[in-house]
Amino acid sequence: MRVIKYVFQPHGDDRGQLIALEEFKDIPFKIKRVYYMYDTAEGVVRGHHAHKKLEQILVCIHGGCKIRLDNGKEKKVVPLEKPYEGLYVANNMWREMFDFSEDAVLLVFASELYDENDYIRDYDEFIEFIKEHPNAD
Ligand code: T46
């Protein structure tokens, strides 16, 4: 499984750092939605689903967390703990987010508006879905 992690270029000067993200330039799709999660309780695992269409970039802009990616054949755990790193998560990828630090803020750029019908929340259904929609690699 190929993990696609973007390293964003900060505009740093003696005042500190600034990162600007533009659609189709830094983010490889049109950004239709942005959401973020914070105050995640200790031991919580979020996610446990895949998507039919939605693509996303995950950035832990404060603190740290881990993302488990599962393409149905292989699983990989990707730590996110730098505000300049973005993890691309394709639609047909089962994901879980865990090990959130107390101060973690996980920011997500999404290619689609929120649509509950786009979620695959049953793992067996996900395995059936990727037979017809295989992952790139
Ligand atoms: C994903 C991972 C990385 C909304 O009303 N609008 C939204 O845009 C989102 C994302 C959520 N919600 C509502 C739906 C639920 O009642 O917020 C509640 C929590 O959402 P959910 O349980 O889906 O959160 P996670 O952390 O399990 O998953 C989220 C995204 O939903 C999902 O697309 O890939 O983060």
Side-chain angles (χ1 to χ4, degrees):
M1 181 201 302
R2 195 159 67 100
V3 171
I4 303 176
K5 222 178 191 187
Y6 290 83
V7 178
F8 304 124
Q9 192 59 54
H11 301 274
D13 57 29
D14 53 11
R15 296 170 297 175
Q17 305 296 330
L18 183 154
I19 288 182
L21 302 175
E22 295 185 14
E23 58 191 14
F24 299 126
K25 189 174 156 196
D26 313 281
I27 302 290
F29 47 74
K30 181 168 176 59
I31 302 164
K32 288 200 182 162
R33 178 168 53 110
V34 175
Y35 62 91
Y36 48 95
M37 52 198 86
Y38 60 97
D39 273 358
T40 309
E42 201 185 338
V44 159
V45 183
R46 303 192 65 118
H48 298 288
H49 58 253
H51 282 277
K52 294 175 193 160
K53 191 170 172 204
L54 181 70
E55 297 172 80
Q56 302 186 106
I57 297 274
L58 276 55
V59 185
C60 199
I61 54 168
H62 196 259
C65 67
K66 293 193 176 83
I67 315 298
R68 183 177 295 111
L69 297 176
D70 175 354
N71 65 6
K73 299 184 196 95
E74 201 185 339
K75 294 178 193 186
K76 273 196 181 160
V77 171
V78 184
L80 277 183
E81 46 207 17
K82 306 285 185 202
Y84 53 80
E85 285 182 347
L87 175 67
Y88 174 74
V89 182
N91 53 330
N92 49 7
M93 188 73 78
W94 191 264
R95 79 285 316 263
E96 292 166 12
M97 303 85 81
F98 63 104
D99 255 7
F100 286 84
S101 64
E102 207 181 312
D103 57 350
V105 181
L106 182 61
L107 177 68
V108 182
F109 297 92
S111 67
E112 304 296 331
L113 301 179
Y114 179 70
D115 177 8
E116 183 54 40
N117 294 320
D118 190 63
Y119 285 72
I120 306 171
R121 296 191 182 275
D122 178 85
Y123 193 79
D124 293 337
E125 198 186 311
F126 163 64
I127 295 298
E128 285 306 309
F129 182 84
I130 53 172
K131 281 182 191 161
E132 285 164 31
H133 307 84
N135 302 89
D137 49 355

